[in-house]
Amino acid sequence: MSVKLMIRAGLALLLATSGLPASARAYPTDPLGSPMWQAHARTLFGDDPVRFDPRVRVAFPAIAENQRVFPVAVDARGIGGVVRIILFADLNPIPVAIDYRPQAAEPYLATRIKLDQRTPVRAAVQLADGQWLVSGRWIDAAGGGCSAPPVSRVKGDWAQHLGEMRGEAWPTGPGASRLRVTFRHPMDTGLVDNIPTYHLEALTVKSGGGRVLGSMEIWASVAEDPAITLLPKAGAGEPLRIEARDTNGRDYRAAVTVAKQSAPAR
Amino acid sequence: MRIDRRTLLGGFAACFALPAIAAPPDYRIDPVAVADGIWMIHGADAPIEPGNGGAIANIAIIDTPAGTVLCDSGPSLRYGRALRMVAEKLTGKPVARVYVTHLHPDHGMGIAAFDPAIVAALPGTIDDMRRDGRGFSDAMYRMLNDWMRGTELVLPGQPIISDVEDFGGRRLRLIALSGHSAADLALVDERTGLLVGGDLLFHDRAPSTPTADLSAWRASLDRLAALDHKATIPGHGPFDPSGREAIAQTRDWLDWLEATLTEAVRSGLDMVEAGDLPIPDRFATMAAARYELQRSVSHLYPGIEARLLPRIDEPAD
Ligand SMILES: [Zn+2]
């Protein structure tokens, strides 16, 4: 959790337990009727203005075939001036999955998360003026996504592959690309048996010259072996650097060059 | 605290009321004659859902001189019991053998209604059920609750080790294959040439791939295509009198699926986008096509990514 989020969460808890209203602000009524909406809104948005906006497109499959690996894509390209995207699932024990700042990238993010039970899955995007636009839907899930051991823990081979990264970048237009990165990482939630929490916690995409194109904080509710798709502003042939860090302080570094030719589809 | 009569009565009323309210509806089991002494029960061509009680798999009833033979047994104890009644009434003979074609719960959980000693499956299927049965059972209870009441996880008692079984002169050829799962049983009735394909064959219903090995599945389809059978009962979807269409359709879908997901990874799509890709018009007759495509993305995509995306990490220093 970022320092800011942590302080806000702590503050919300303090105020809630002292019986005082946590915020004078009234958040809009949740169209999804989630029992956690007000609490999450307080933690994530504080006193910033909030409204529900369908232009924040949150796409995912009709069913959660595997609640440990549930794909979600957030597309806010229909909105100008997005500075931040938070992907969260209200009823997960670790609600926030990714907190992304697309500094020089399109406001788009695709990844896979764990689902612990039937829950709203949402994205909140923040505009430069501070206001938050929120959208999402309920998804049914059998449960156990966060409180079941990851597949690689069961297989016992995660340590041999830790740090393996795969990826590719394709040009999508002038100065625009699509980057896909996958990691081998157990993404332990700390909620299973006595396995302590251990997950990727930060990822940055930089240009060849070292300029930050996008950066994110990552929580253990992202699926094991994280896969992330972003749209950095980098043209065909340009080098990209990916730097990441996990909660044990291990660093991950990779280099990808945006392909000269775009892929056949898209 | 004093417990008065009213409190007690209230408690009793609640106890009695619950089962009555929660009584599940009955399965409708309509066998249709498809060959001499063989009937097919056509499962719902839909996902497993409360509306159908999980009765989505096709089932074959074969009348033999040695008794009634069933291929697959449905999703629950309740279904298995109803199936037995219907089948025995139809043939006038007790059930002598129940085959389980593979591990999936829509085919095998109904064996709870039978003596395990007459239930036969490939050794690999029995191993699969021992490993995954509990997980499948939990998932079925969650999706179907009351329909599943009383259904215990039972393992087939009879591993299939020969390639033919003779029921008083009616011989069934048993073919051990794989691909839809690690062990898939197909049967041919020698008298009529009818092939029971299990879930190696889907007909006008999109194939499901939770335990699939696509190249093994294709090899099994080659084996089935080379048989001299007449007609087929697929695992899901309508009877195939041609004996060829279900094989061709299943192969067409699997080829399309693998090529499409491979191309999706190559072109940089994520899983959500891959699950939303257009499905060709020629599959318009296939029920549950979008549903199965999205499930298959979940089953297969990470493996294709691991194969096709190049390593990009730099050695840690
Ligand atoms: Zn099956």
Side-chain angles (χ1 to χ4, degrees), chain B residues 153-264:
Chain B
L153 181 62
V154 176
L155 295 179
Q158 194 61 244
I160 295 171
I161 41 170
S162 86
D163 54 10
V164 68
E165 195 165 7
D166 190 320
F167 295 92
R170 188 159 201 168
R171 284 161 50 92
L172 300 180
R173 246 192 295 157
L174 309 176
I175 311 168
L177 299 166
S178 68
H180 173 70
S181 73
D184 295 297
L185 176 67
L187 297 94
V188 178
D189 170 52
E190 291 192 345
R191 186 197 294 175
T192 60
L194 184 105
L195 164 68
V196 180
D199 274 4
L200 290 169
L201 298 182
F202 282 71
H203 187 210
D204 287 342
R205 202 282 186 193
S208 69
T209 59
T211 49
D213 172 334
L214 296 184
S215 49
W217 196 336
R218 274 191 283 262
S220 292
L221 291 174
D222 288 343
R223 291 269 309 274
L224 295 180
L227 295 175
D228 54 359
H229 66 280
K230 302 279 191 299
T232 54
I233 294 180
H236 295 267
F239 180 67
D240 175 11
S242 75
R244 304 292 144 192
E245 196 174 292
I247 298 175
Q249 231 183 36
T250 304
R251 168 178 289 279
D252 192 12
W253 174 273
L254 296 181
D255 287 349
W256 170 77
L257 178 70
E258 189 166 42
T260 300
L261 297 189
T262 301
E263 191 47 43

Side-chain angles (χ1 to χ4, degrees), chain B residues 102 104 107 180 199:
Chain B
H102 65 295
H104 292 150
H107 297 258
H180 173 70
D199 274 4

Side-chain angles (χ1 to χ4, degrees), chain A residues 167-190:
Chain A
E168 214 164 335
W170 299 261
T172 55
S177 66
R178 163 178 282 251
L179 169 67
R180 302 205 62 224
V181 184
T182 68
F183 293 80
R184 296 298 304 271
H185 202 288
M187 299 299 283
D188 291 317
T189 56

